[in-house]
Amino acid sequence: MLNNMNPSLKAFSVLIGIIMLSVFFDPITPLISLILTVAITFVLGKVSLKRWILLFSPFIFMSIVYVWSSLLFPRTYPGDNIIWQWQFISITSEGLLRSLALGLRILSFASLSLLFVLTTNPIRFLHSLMQQCRLSPKLAYSIMAGYQFLPLIKEEFEIIRNAHRVRGAGRSRTIMDKIRQIKKYTIPLLANGIRKAERTAIAMESKGFTGDKNREYYHIITISKKDWLLSCVLVSIVFISITVSFLFGYLNFYNGQL
């Protein structure tokens, strides 16, 4: 369901959720949001668990680093309750809650971002931006062309590197050899990229592409009632998180202090 949702409306819903979460700074709100977002991602979207874990793992590491650093070097305020102290390390209950809130905010933002990235086709998203958000076709099709060139650049890089290895020129032992090797790879890749860009521009011009916004589209992206329903589901994640946090008495607005 999420994979077929209107991409622009999905992006707008995720953006609203992130903005609303950034207003609050307590551990319960992002925790509930994280749990609900992960559940909706796998229930309503076709997402590979292995790929999701691979992309989510760096954010877990980042979150642990933030929590650990904020605990080791806390910013204490008058009236904070010290729960553990050893030499120069002093952990307060308020500091622990702030550290957990910071780490869970990172994970919550990451889960919402992955929900959008893993359930959205980039080409379909650009078509939706042109049709629903009136994005300039010149900019959109330029991004599409660059996106399509990425796999070709990787393939050409492998071809050039293998050709150098066959001729015995692919070995680099010193730093200067590596710098020269990068130059040997860069110039052919730039030359091929310029040729492809020129051919693409000529092909688009020959087919009558002018960049006019008032044009017809072969792929029509629409917004249906189902899309609005899914949008309400995504936004309701944050509302449910805020409500649960308020009922438990943890809801706290962010005041610029960590």
Side-chain angles (χ1 to χ4, degrees):
M1 294 175 68
L2 287 175
N3 299 70
N4 299 324
M5 181 182 175
N6 183 279
S8 296
L9 187 59
K10 188 195 306 182
F12 183 69
S13 304
V14 171
L15 183 61
I16 289 178
I18 292 176
I19 293 175
M20 291 177 62
L21 282 175
S22 64
V23 176
F24 301 96
F25 195 76
D26 61 85
I28 299 299
T29 303
L31 176 61
I32 301 298
S33 175
L34 173 63
I35 295 173
L36 293 178
T37 303
V38 174
I40 289 176
T41 300
F42 290 101
V43 172
L44 300 181
K46 296 179 181 179
V47 177
S48 170
L49 178 60
K50 183 178 179 181
R51 187 183 180 190
W52 187 90
I53 294 175
L54 182 65
L55 294 175
F56 194 70
S57 299
F59 296 101
I60 296 177
F61 175 76
M62 188 186 307
S63 175
I64 293 174
V65 171
Y66 270 99
V67 171
W68 183 250
S69 60
S70 60
L71 285 176
L72 290 180
F73 309 101
R75 180 180 295 180
T76 58
Y77 298 93
D80 287 354
N81 299 317
I82 299 176
I83 58 177
W84 188 77
Q85 190 172 12
W86 180 72
Q87 293 186 2
F88 67 93
I89 301 176
S90 178
I91 298 178
T92 64
S93 58
E94 291 80 4
L96 179 60
L97 290 178
R98 286 193 292 265
S99 302
L100 291 176
L102 181 62
L104 290 171
R105 272 163 64 104
I106 296 173
L107 297 180
S108 182
F109 292 161
S111 63
L112 284 170
S113 301
L114 288 179
L115 181 147
F116 175 77
V117 171
L118 296 179
T119 61
T120 305
N121 186 308
I123 304 301
R124 195 166 179 267
F125 179 46
L126 288 171
H127 278 292
S128 177
L129 289 177
M130 285 189 290
Q131 297 177 31
Q132 271 81 50
C133 303
R134 307 299 293 172
L135 179 68
S136 173
K138 290 183 179 180
L139 178 61
Y141 281 105
S142 299
I143 297 174
M144 284 186 194
Y147 179 77
Q148 296 293 336
F149 282 161
L150 290 178
L152 297 176
I153 292 175
K154 181 180 179 181
E155 183 179 350
E156 289 178 357
F157 173 75
E158 294 292 338
I159 293 173
I160 295 172
R161 186 173 64 176
N162 292 334
H164 286 182
R165 287 179 177 177
V166 169
R167 292 171 175 80
R171 299 176 181 177
S172 57
R173 298 178 180 178
T174 64
I175 296 177
M176 293 303 298
D177 290 339
K178 291 182 179 180
I179 294 175
R180 295 190 191 98
Q181 191 177 38
I182 292 174
K183 184 179 179 181
K184 292 178 182 178
Y185 291 153
T186 303
I187 294 176
L189 287 174
L190 285 175
N192 291 333
I194 292 172
R195 292 193 192 100
K196 284 185 171 61
E198 186 177 1
R199 292 170 186 168
T200 302
I202 294 173
M204 294 178 71
E205 187 176 357
S206 65
K207 295 182 182 298
F209 179 77
T210 61
D212 186 13
K213 293 184 179 180
N214 298 319
R215 60 192 301 271
E216 294 183 358
Y217 296 93
Y218 180 75
H219 296 285
I220 305 298
I221 309 296
T222 60
I223 300 180
S224 62
K225 293 181 180 179
K226 187 178 180 180
D227 295 328
W228 287 111
L229 178 61
L230 289 173
S231 177
C232 293
V233 171
L234 294 178
V235 176
S236 65
I237 291 175
V238 183
F239 281 108
I240 294 174
S241 304
I242 294 172
T243 303
V244 173
S245 179
F246 176 77
L247 293 176
F248 279 93
Y250 283 95
L251 189 64
N252 186 27
F253 286 93
Y254 179 65
N255 57 5
Q257 296 180 350
L258 297 179

